[in-house]
Amino acid sequence: MSTLVLVVVPTMDNAYHNLKDFVAIVPPIGLLSIAATAEAAGHRVVIVDADAERLDAGRALDRIAALQPDFVGATVMTATMDLCAAFFARLKERLPRVPVIVGGPHPSSLPVQTLRDAPAFDVAVIGEGDETIVELLKAHAAGGDLTAIPGIAFRCAGEVTVTAPRGPIPDLGILPLPAYHLLNRDLYRSYGWNNWVSGHRTPVGVVFAARGCVGRCNFCAAHTVFGHGIRYFPLETVKRQLDYLLRDWQIRVLYFQDDTFTANRKMVEALCDYIVAQGYDRQLEIMVSSRVDTVNPETLRRMRRAGVRWICFGVESGNQAILDRMGKKITVEQVRKAFRMAREAGLFIAGNFMIGHIGETRGTALDTIDLACELDQEYASFAIAIPLPGTELYDYCIDSGMQLPAWNDFGNVNTPPIPVNRELGAAELVALRNLAVNRFFKRPGYFLRLLLRMRPLNVMADFVRMYFALRKERLAKRL
């Protein structure tokens, strides 16, 4: 039996600084899935979640070293690549013989470059890692040949070898339940806006009902891990996860992490009926993500009866030409219709918007800001387009000869924007995002509606705290 330590590398302070208390820290469901298959194969697994445990890099390294692992693994995002490389370089100084296995969107998109950029990484998993991790642990323990394992990149004789592709797992029902038991539920919390509705941010649970997405948006890198298209877990598997989280964790907030929760109407309605039949709706505040072209009034009403309070729509742009360039395959009128249906069903709505995509001008960005302020929604986030590896947007930048920054600057908070077209430079992108935030959140009517619809004292307390946190960030010249 081998000991596998799965690590959430400490990145929260680097990304959010004074804003970190407003951000959710949710159970790392990807690592929980990896842990479950490794445990089922007979291995000992420990999860060190440095962000949730508020460990800095030094204390996290001490924890890992004390566990004397045979293997260490982590999920690597593009924005955390540099931090992860530095973290595991320090670990290698203490545990030089312990293989480091990394997976996630960044290694899946750029497996060879990932290993070249980070000498401390030994293996990069390409795509889903549930089955790959078991084969890796077995081969390493036996001193076997890694070339027979599909879906990885590894070093061999000083060179990086990439094995045959591994396709997505066709039947997700073969996977064990995520290893929730490896975590301390008290370390995790939801976003602040859940507190506006129910007064609760904890305990929070996370469930995947499906993997993948029906969309093909050219700025999204989710397909690099899950592939194109969508695959569903059996309904009974999802029910068992819900039962565990309600019974053992006593959760008050539930996030369905699916990219498009409403893609399968039959699945959604069956889940909602189960939640109501079990009485879970009386305990839960549920949040889901959706596309505006996958909702209908009856399903939205059934979701509301089952305790779904928040629906998050990926709107991105208020300009049809930009939506088309993004590959969103939606219309501005579909956006308006979906928001009306969700409002009529009694759901709270959060819209996600993006500024600075290919072809964006000040005029098209203002269309997005105007639409965000027009729509009746409780929350809106305004991101600047990021050319993530594995996306068409990234390929466009490379083909255009753009000089892209260090991986650490591929974040959306406290990092300089990456202009992807000549119409809008970094300074103007920041100015447009600030304009969007100010126009949306500083409307008297908006704030009054929040106070009337939600817990007013909670809303006011959060807005006051956010004001001072943002002030500190501006004084530090990070905004």
Side-chain angles (χ1 to χ4, degrees), residues 177-423:
L177 293 189
Y180 298 109
H181 61 278
L182 296 179
L183 300 180
N184 176 356
R185 67 154 200 174
D186 297 330
L187 297 176
Y188 298 94
R189 64 169 188 251
S190 68
Y191 288 99
W193 60 69
N194 294 112
N195 185 48
W196 300 352
V197 179
S198 65
H200 295 285
R201 293 185 70 182
T202 61
V204 60
V206 175
V207 169
F208 268 113
R211 288 181 177 179
C213 184
V214 296
R216 292 287 185 100
C217 305
N218 62 25
F219 55 81
C220 180
H223 69 274
T224 61
V225 175
F226 293 145
H228 289 294
I230 190 166
R231 291 160 293 135
Y232 293 90
F233 285 90
L235 182 60
E236 290 306 312
T237 297
V238 183
K239 290 179 180 178
R240 287 169 57 207
Q241 291 185 64
L242 293 175
D243 293 342
Y244 178 90
L245 290 171
L246 270 295
R247 182 187 66 244
D248 290 51
W249 276 30
Q250 294 291 302
I251 62 169
R252 301 302 300 267
V253 181
L254 172 66
Y255 289 166
F256 278 103
Q257 289 286 78
D258 307 48
D259 292 307
T260 313
F261 177 73
T262 52
N264 184 330
R265 180 175 179 176
K266 183 178 179 181
M267 176 80 157
V268 170
E269 294 185 352
L271 273 176
C272 289
D273 290 347
Y274 181 75
I275 289 169
V276 172
Q278 297 298 113
Y280 296 157
D281 57 300
R282 296 191 293 272
Q283 181 173 332
L284 287 178
E285 177 184 342
I286 302 172
M287 186 167 79
V288 304
S289 296
S290 179
R291 285 175 56 94
V292 298
D293 56 350
T294 63
V295 294
N296 65 83
E298 173 54 35
T299 302
L300 290 171
R301 287 193 292 268
R302 195 173 298 198
M303 288 164 55
R304 177 63 188 88
R305 288 195 294 271
V308 176
R309 300 309 313 273
W310 286 96
I311 186 165
C312 303
F313 287 116
V315 178
E316 315 312 345
S317 180
N319 181 277
Q320 190 60 53
I322 299 299
L323 286 174
D324 294 343
R325 187 63 184 86
M326 291 174 169
K328 283 292 296 182
K329 305 294 185 184
I330 62 172
T331 67
V332 175
E333 188 49 45
Q334 282 179 310
V335 172
R336 294 188 174 103
K337 182 179 178 182
F339 274 63
R340 285 196 300 269
M341 287 190 293
R343 172 64 60 221
E344 289 167 1
L347 299 176
F348 295 123
I349 308 168
N352 297 320
F353 300 86
M354 180 183 294
I355 294 169
H357 196 273
I358 302 168
E360 187 88 276
T361 65
R362 179 175 177 80
T364 62
L366 290 175
D367 289 341
T368 298
I369 298 171
D370 289 343
L371 180 64
C373 293
E374 170 198 331
L375 297 169
D376 186 6
Q377 55 186 320
E378 280 70 27
Y379 193 84
S381 67
F382 298 94
I384 295 174
I386 301 175
L388 294 170
T391 69
E392 181 188 322
L393 188 54
Y394 178 81
D395 294 339
Y396 170 86
C397 293
I398 296 299
D399 294 343
S400 301
M402 285 183 55
Q403 287 293 110
L404 294 175
W407 299 128
N408 190 65
D409 286 341
F410 276 67
N412 222 316
V413 181
N414 298 329
T415 58
I418 305 172
V420 302
N421 61 73
R422 295 172 183 169
E423 292 289 333

Side-chain angles (χ1 to χ4, degrees), residues 94-120:
R94 303 173 68 165
L95 302 172
R97 298 185 182 278
V98 174
V100 174
I101 304 166
V102 295
H106 192 81
S108 293
S109 302
L110 300 173
V112 175
Q113 186 172 342
T114 296
L115 295 185
R116 289 176 178 166
D117 287 347

